[in-house]
Amino acid sequence: MGRPRNWGRLAGIGGELLQRSDPLGVWLLEAQEVAMRGRGGREFALANRALAYRQSGDGKKAYDTYGEALKIASHDATLWNDFGLLLKGLGKIGPAFDAFVAGLRAETEPGSSPSGTNLGVLFQRTGNSRGRDPREDLVRVLRKRPDAALTR
């Protein structure tokens, strides 16, 4: 049996429900991930599920689910960035910094993910660069995305 054709549409509906704080959105994205087990693209379903948990306020489930997704797709810069945002939101600044740096390392093209911008925001809010030159990270982002938010 192949990949169901409507999972993309259902993920979109799940996202819309989450924006309305409807718990059915979490359920729908959990169901999508279960259905994708053993099929290609499960990491995307896990990322959707982790985001659903994050948006519904369940940091533990979001953390665990991002961990599962990163085991499958450690090369995904966007996934590292999203995990960093979760960690930052949980107040885990050191691990968030590490996740954003991992996102930079995973970029297929320098400056192509939001990790550099979020790393800059983290530096701006904490004043701690952890040995990195924030200007270099900013230049990396600006070369690819001169209109990136918070880089001006």
Side-chain angles (χ1 to χ4, degrees):
M1 181 173 175
R3 182 176 174 174
R5 283 187 234 149
N6 293 323
W7 279 119
R9 187 179 322 156
L10 290 175
I13 292 168
E16 287 177 29
L17 291 169
L18 283 172
Q19 288 178 349
R20 297 181 196 155
S21 299
D22 188 327
L24 184 58
V26 173
W27 178 86
L28 191 58
L29 292 171
E30 286 174 335
Q32 176 199 28
E33 187 274 317
V34 169
M36 295 304 293
R37 290 180 185 168
R39 297 184 171 129
R42 180 170 179 243
E43 65 274 17
F44 300 112
L46 281 165
N48 285 338
R49 189 172 123 198
L51 181 60
Y53 291 142
R54 184 174 127 204
Q55 289 181 341
S56 68
D58 194 334
K60 168 116 177 63
K61 282 186 179 179
Y63 181 90
D64 292 345
T65 306
Y66 276 121
E68 281 185 69
L70 286 165
K71 284 179 188 172
I72 297 169
S74 63
H75 61 279
D76 189 308
T78 301
L79 190 55
W80 279 111
N81 178 72
D82 292 350
F83 185 49
L85 291 173
L86 168 72
L87 293 167
K88 185 176 80 134
L90 294 174
K92 298 175 186 252
I93 302 304
F97 183 93
D98 294 340
F100 292 139
V101 170
L104 289 177
R105 289 187 183 127
E107 290 177 340
T108 54
E109 188 175 334
S112 61
S113 82
S115 291
T117 302
N118 286 319
L119 193 59
V121 170
L122 198 59
F123 168 70
Q124 182 183 29
R125 292 193 179 151
T126 66
N128 185 351
S129 67
R130 295 186 60 186
R132 290 184 67 85
D133 183 350
R135 293 170 298 185
E136 287 180 19
D137 292 330
L138 179 61
V139 167
R140 178 186 179 110
V141 171
L142 287 173
R143 280 191 183 132
K144 179 68 179 169
R145 298 181 4 247
D147 59 337
L150 300 171
T151 56
R152 292 178 220 129

